[in-house]
Amino acid sequence: MNPQPADQRPMVAPCRQVPATAPFRWLKKGFADFKQMPMLSVMYGLVMMLISVVITYVAYQAHSIVLAIALTAGFFFIGPIIGIGLYSLSRQLSNNVQPQLFRCLRESRKNFSNAMVLSVIFLIVFLVWARAASMVHIFFPSMSSLDIQGWIKFLSIGTAVGAVFSVVIFCIGAFSIPMMMDRNVDTVTAVITSINAVLKNKLTMLVWGALIVTLTLIGIATFYLGFIILLPVIGHATWHAYKDTIDADAWELGPGLNQKPTSN
């Protein structure tokens, strides 16, 4: 399908119905991408691991588990934005272009404003979540005096509150950022497309979200060493999830593949 003129494009990019087993295929393709460019992927994973270590160290020095949870949640809230480099690498690879980490940063400057708009949206959601988390903490003023039952209540309420905001972020960022990376599309269209695709593939996206959470917990359990491999694989897999689910052919290809742009 050839790109359509701007006045003939739909408000939302069509999405495909994908089976609940699709996330496992996305991970398999993501790992295949990892193996094809291990140095770039591992370098990216190392950066993510170091950020996690710094967050943990700051929280430890502050002697605040609430701060640790908030910083960690904030890190993963902006994870989709941080993953732009990985999406770009998989995009280059799938288009038979020699993967270069800085190609996207060099040739995709025109999408910077859209990425910043999405970053602001994520930041607002995170700030609202942080406020909600602090309200939860009010009901547990003395963390040191909590017994096991108190800790269960605290973690259960905190997890429930965090889950609500995580779902919001997941719906917004699941496909919007890869789409903006791949096509010349505005933020509003990309976000609406992402939300629409998630809602039309609820079971599949539930499986995908569960896999992301599981792999993240594995990475944490390995003292973040697992992030060196797991986070790049998730990033690469997210690109394949977008390509498998979203039909964005009505929009022109974005920069980053050394192709000449076409006019609307």
Side-chain angles (χ1 to χ4, degrees), residues 18-39:
V18 289
T21 57
F24 297 96
R25 182 172 69 249
W26 302 337
L27 283 176
K28 183 178 180 180
K29 290 182 178 180
F31 186 60
D33 286 358
F34 180 92
K35 291 190 295 183
Q36 290 194 58
M37 40 188 173
M39 294 301 296

Side-chain angles (χ1 to χ4, degrees), residues 51-63 71 224:
I51 293 175
S52 301
V53 171
V54 170
I55 289 175
T56 302
Y57 177 78
V58 171
Y60 176 78
Q61 290 297 314
H63 302 288
L71 290 174
Y224 306 126

Side-chain angles (χ1 to χ4, degrees), residues 122-256:
F122 286 169
L123 177 61
I124 292 173
V125 174
F126 171 65
L127 291 176
V128 174
W129 175 86
R131 181 59 178 172
S134 66
M135 294 299 292
V136 172
H137 186 57
I138 290 176
F139 296 98
F140 301 89
S142 180
M143 303 293 294
S144 60
S145 63
L146 289 180
D147 55 14
I148 295 178
Q149 186 176 3
W151 273 104
I152 292 175
K153 289 181 179 179
F154 171 73
L155 293 176
S156 297
I157 296 174
T159 300
V161 172
V164 172
F165 291 96
S166 296
V167 168
V168 174
I169 289 294
F170 184 71
C171 290
I172 293 174
F175 303 112
S176 59
I177 304 174
M179 184 178 179
M180 289 191 299
M181 171 65 63
D182 186 41
R183 302 283 169 166
N184 288 326
V185 62
D186 61 274
T187 306
V188 174
T189 300
V191 168
I192 296 176
T193 295
S194 181
I195 295 174
N196 177 65
V198 171
L199 294 178
K200 287 189 174 181
N201 291 277
K202 296 183 184 67
L203 179 58
T204 303
M205 300 314 294
L206 179 63
V207 173
W208 179 224
L211 285 173
I212 292 175
V213 171
T214 300
L215 293 175
T216 301
L217 291 176
I218 292 174
I220 294 174
T222 59
F223 300 98
Y224 306 126
L225 291 175
F227 282 175
I228 298 175
I229 295 177
L230 295 177
L231 292 185
V233 169
I234 292 173
H236 295 314
T238 299
W239 165 258
H240 293 287
Y242 154 71
K243 293 298 290 183
D244 203 19
T245 308
I246 306 298
D247 180 7
D249 289 344
W251 285 264
E252 299 164 350
L253 281 171

Side-chain angles (χ1 to χ4, degrees), residues 33-110:
D33 286 358
F34 180 92
K35 291 190 295 183
Q36 290 194 58
M37 40 188 173
M39 294 301 296
L40 291 174
S41 298
V42 167
M43 181 174 62
Y44 199 95
L46 281 170
V47 172
M48 301 287 276
M49 184 201 72
L50 291 175
I51 293 175
S52 301
V53 171
V54 170
I55 289 175
T56 302
Y57 177 78
V58 171
Y60 176 78
Q61 290 297 314
H63 302 288
S64 173
I65 188 172
V66 175
L67 178 61
I69 295 173
L71 290 174
T72 303
F75 173 56
F76 287 105
F77 266 134
I78 63 174
I81 292 292
I82 299 176
I84 285 179
L86 293 170
Y87 309 152
S88 175
L89 291 173
S90 287
R91 176 177 184 252
Q92 295 168 40
L93 196 63
S94 62
N95 285 277
N96 299 316
V97 175
Q98 181 64 34
Q100 295 181 10
L101 184 60
F102 296 105
R103 176 175 275 120
C104 171
L105 299 177
R106 186 176 65 248
E107 299 183 3
S108 297
R109 288 176 294 180
K110 64 183 298 183

